[in-house]
Amino acid sequence: MIQSLDAKTWAQLSAFGDDAPLCIKTTDSSIDGVRLIDDDEKSVPYVTHSDSNNGLARFVSPKNYEFGSDDGGCITVGLDTQTAFYQPHKFVTGRNIQVITGESLNEDVAQFMVPILRQQMTAKFNWGGNGATLGRMKCLTVMLPVTDSGEPDYAYMAEYAQQKRDAMLDKYRKYVEAHVAELGELVEIPTLDEKEWAEFPLNDIFTVGAGKRLETRNKIPGTRPFIGATDNGNGVTGFVGNDNASKDSNVLDVNYNGAPCIAFYHPYECIFTDDVKQLSLRNYKNNKFVLLFFASFFAQQRSKYSYGYKFKEKRMLRQKLMLPVDDAGEPDYVYMEQYAKNMMLRKYRQYLAFLERDAEE
């Protein structure tokens, strides 16, 4: 059994330098987004100083290697955002990126070190005139577990990270297996191209409920999801202890402000900001799979709306939706439900197959 973090001996060490565990340098690419070369093949990670998606902004053409590149097996650091991520594959970067390497830096050791580096950078640096520049980073010290001789204990770090990963993967596997059992078997249904489709005003399909403004100063700490007009995190922008008339569950929300025309399904009880609307089916019981089927429709309409042309309720009610229909020409909710179930089953099985391949390797 591996020692706990509390039982392990730790020491404060210089992070970078001749006798330090890590080396840091400026990226070898540093490509401004407007200079990126575009073509049909998009297979190269373009890493920026974003704090999400492992710093990955998008995939770009291999032609961008002509600007330079960095090898995988390193940690990237955002100069002005104090972000740190492990990059397993060869990549190109945007501006203001530092690259950390080390002789003993494998994926497991890196995943152990990343939160330590982020914690130290957040405490010492900030956006503006005190960012994580190369000179400041070279002076950084970190607390690391050490061997009896006082050297960084890379074997311990790797084993600890591996145990954490194995525990999480086991948790994910059990979660997915339970959902596969719940969904049952794939059902043969017509493809989207084979179905008949018809146009319906949104007002014929949904009733629209309003969110309620909750100012930051009035938020009470708690565990209830608070849904904002964002395009990530399933719309959850925080957790509160407040209760108001917008409280709902098993419902679809759609942003009309902020990031307009983005929809998320919420099976849990939550409250909503006034920048989003809550949609419930008029003629069919709210259903997770049917609502997830609808969520993708709104994303396809997003290009029509912007901050200056908001997805307000009147426009929302007039918005036309192309839907699969049954023999009577009515929305085919049974088909939508099974289509979403089939999609989820395929994805769950794909994930389980990935876990099996990963375990064999």
Side-chain angles (χ1 to χ4, degrees):
M1 183 72 177
I2 191 172
Q3 278 183 289
S4 69
L5 296 177
D6 290 338
K8 186 66 180 167
T9 302
W10 293 65
Q12 189 163 359
L13 306 169
S14 295
F16 310 104
D18 294 338
D19 298 321
L22 302 171
C23 300
I24 186 167
K25 66 180 183 67
T26 301
T27 173
D28 288 331
S29 50
S30 190
I31 313 167
D32 200 314
V34 297
R35 295 173 56 217
L36 287 169
I37 300 170
D38 192 23
D39 66 11
D40 292 337
E41 183 183 358
K42 294 177 173 60
S43 58
V44 177
Y46 178 59
V47 176
T48 66
H49 55 193
S50 167
D51 193 26
S52 59
N53 297 327
N54 211 57
L56 178 64
R58 59 186 182 273
F59 288 94
V60 298
S61 168
K63 292 179 180 178
N64 290 284
Y65 283 146
E66 70 180 55
F67 298 116
S69 64
D70 293 280
D71 291 329
C74 66
I75 297 171
T76 52
V77 171
L79 184 151
D80 49 0
T81 51
Q82 293 79 58
T83 53
F85 295 107
Y86 176 73
Q87 304 299 338
H89 307 292
K90 185 178 179 180
F91 61 97
V92 296
T93 75
R95 300 176 64 185
N96 299 331
I97 297 291
Q98 320 286 5
V99 176
I100 296 173
T101 57
E103 191 173 316
S104 300
L105 190 70
N106 58 31
E107 181 172 3
D108 292 323
V109 172
Q111 297 294 9
F112 188 97
M113 285 188 170
V114 160
I116 296 173
L117 289 167
R118 291 185 70 132
Q119 185 180 45
Q120 287 286 42
M121 289 190 297
T122 302
K124 295 180 181 296
F125 310 127
N126 53 56
W127 185 86
N130 190 36
T133 62
L134 194 59
R136 293 189 182 112
M137 286 294 293
K138 286 182 177 180
C139 298
L140 196 70
T141 60
V142 290
M143 288 290 292
L144 294 177
V146 293
T147 62
D148 293 341
S149 61
E151 298 297 317
D153 196 339
Y154 298 111
Y156 174 84
M157 296 183 221
E159 185 179 359
Y160 185 90
Q162 184 64 55
Q163 282 196 6
K164 285 292 185 181
R165 180 185 293 108
D166 290 345
M168 290 304 297
L169 288 177
D170 186 58
K171 181 179 178 180
Y172 297 156
R173 182 183 290 105
K174 289 176 180 176
Y175 172 87
V176 170
E177 288 173 344
H179 279 269
V180 168
E182 179 186 341
L183 288 168
E185 295 298 320
L186 286 169
V187 175
E188 192 74 25
I189 58 173
T191 65
L192 295 177
D193 290 339
E194 293 170 341
K195 279 294 287 183
E196 291 293 326
W197 293 68
E199 196 174 71
F200 298 87
L202 184 146
N203 193 38
D204 288 356
I205 306 300
F206 290 104
T207 60
V208 179
K212 187 173 178 63
R213 177 162 297 188
L214 179 60
E215 295 181 353
T216 301
R217 63 183 176 178
N218 296 325
K219 289 180 180 177
I220 301 169
T223 58
R224 176 174 289 136
F226 179 69
I227 310 304
T230 182
D231 61 358
N232 58 67
N234 210 55
V236 178
T237 58
F239 294 87
V240 297
N242 302 73
D243 193 356
N244 61 39
S246 74
K247 184 172 69 177
D248 208 344
S249 62
N250 188 33
V251 67
L252 196 69
D253 91 77
V254 178
N255 300 345
Y256 80 85
N257 200 4
C261 220
I262 296 292
F264 295 108
Y265 170 69
H266 305 283
Y268 39 75
E269 184 181 86
C270 51
I271 62 173
F272 300 81
T273 182
D274 58 339
D275 286 330
V276 303
K277 298 293 185 182
Q278 297 141 262
L279 303 186
S280 295
L281 292 167
R282 280 189 183 277
N283 304 308
Y284 199 79
K285 186 177 179 180
N286 271 10
N287 175 296
K288 170 183 177 179
F289 304 102
V290 175
L291 293 179
L292 285 173
F293 188 92
F294 273 102
S296 62
F297 288 9
F298 291 98
Q300 294 172 3
Q301 299 294 329
R302 189 178 183 186
S303 61
K304 292 171 56 176
Y305 301 99
S306 65
Y307 184 79
Y309 189 71
K310 297 179 181 180
F311 193 39
K312 291 184 177 181
E313 186 169 342
K314 286 185 178 180
R315 291 187 183 122
M316 189 179 294
L317 295 175
R318 294 196 304 266
Q319 175 67 52
K320 298 296 179 63
L321 302 175
M322 286 292 293
L323 302 178
V325 294
D326 57 22
D327 293 340
E330 296 298 320
D332 194 340
Y333 296 108
V334 174
Y335 173 83
M336 297 182 216
E337 179 175 350
Q338 191 57 55
Y339 185 90
K341 284 182 175 180
N342 284 355
M343 286 288 288
M344 293 184 76
L345 270 170
R346 291 189 182 100
K347 285 297 180 183
Y348 283 147
R349 289 176 176 176
Q350 184 182 25
Y351 179 68
L352 289 174
F354 167 78
L355 291 183
E356 289 301 321
R357 290 196 305 271
D358 189 56
E360 291 173 2
E361 293 174 0

